[in-house]
Amino acid sequence: EALELQYKYSGVGSLRQKVYELNRAHLPTWSPVRARSTRDHSVWLHCNSRGAQAIPLLSQSIRHLEQVWGVDHPEVANLLIHLVQMYKDVPEKLHLAPPIQKRVVDIFKTNHGNQFPGLSAALVEYSSLLFEAKDFTGATLAAREAMTLRTKMYGPVHAAVCDATRSLGRALAGL
């Protein structure tokens, strides 16, 4: 059936649209498969300059997953990361990104602890968002935490530590 769809609908966008429509029509709203399909479709829309359609679609998918798996589930955090990226591309919505990224950080801490590499990456992103929002104190704290975690995980001369150190220096320069 997938091959038939591929022939019938030319281009990746058309195929993705059809898969999304089929999942939407035949899967319950709480289905993780439907949520992932919605995420994929919204990311595709966003990448193709259709963010106005992508953001509400992804937000709806996040709400459905929160109802099924709870607000602190790692899959919810993955969708929230995509939402943050979408908000970063819409200047009038950029102010919505830092609290969502903070949720990602909190979900990662709750589910994975401090040894999860994704946590330090989430902290670097959070620091960057706070810097853009002119919250230099918050940006400094997030970058310092990321640097500390990365130093413990990788040692002091690893490239990931340098990245966190650069974020810290940027935040401190804003103070």
Side-chain angles (χ1 to χ4, degrees):
E1 185 178 349
L3 270 173
E4 280 179 27
L5 286 174
Q6 214 166 6
Y7 288 119
K8 187 174 178 185
Y9 299 95
S10 62
V12 174
S14 297
L15 180 60
R16 184 172 307 285
Q17 175 73 28
K18 187 61 181 173
V19 169
Y20 166 71
E21 289 170 2
L22 286 170
N23 284 336
R24 191 170 154 216
H26 298 290
L27 294 173
T29 56
W30 49 264
S31 167
V33 172
R34 181 173 169 178
R36 287 186 191 107
S37 173
T38 302
R39 175 205 58 206
D40 293 346
H41 184 62
S42 64
V43 168
W44 181 85
L45 288 169
H46 176 246
C47 290
N48 286 279
S49 302
R50 293 166 63 188
Q53 292 173 301
I55 290 172
L57 192 61
L58 186 59
S59 297
Q60 179 185 29
S61 184
I62 291 167
R63 283 192 302 277
H64 289 298
L65 277 186
E66 287 174 337
Q67 290 172 355
V68 176
W69 288 336
V71 296
D72 287 336
H73 194 278
E75 189 68 27
V76 171
N78 290 333
L79 293 180
L80 290 171
I81 290 168
H82 289 291
L83 186 60
V84 165
Q85 294 307 312
M86 290 178 191
Y87 282 155
K88 284 173 60 176
D89 289 344
V90 181
E92 61 271 9
K93 293 196 181 260
L94 181 60
H95 70 281
L96 299 171
I100 295 171
Q101 187 66 28
K102 175 67 168 117
R103 272 192 67 198
V104 171
V105 167
D106 292 342
I107 291 170
F108 284 169
K109 283 181 179 180
T110 300
N111 288 282
H112 302 295
N114 288 341
Q115 295 304 309
F116 179 57
L119 173 59
S120 63
L123 282 163
V124 168
E125 178 66 22
Y126 183 48
S127 174
S128 175
L129 291 167
L130 291 173
F131 180 86
E132 294 300 321
K134 308 282 189 256
D135 178 358
F136 302 120
T137 302
T140 301
L141 292 172
R144 185 171 284 137
E145 185 177 356
M147 188 181 74
T148 301
L149 291 174
R150 286 182 174 184
T151 301
K152 286 179 185 175
M153 280 190 277
Y154 304 118
V157 293
H158 193 276
V161 176
C162 294
D163 181 44
T165 304
R166 193 171 25 257
S167 291
L168 178 59
R170 183 176 175 216
L172 286 170
L175 290 174

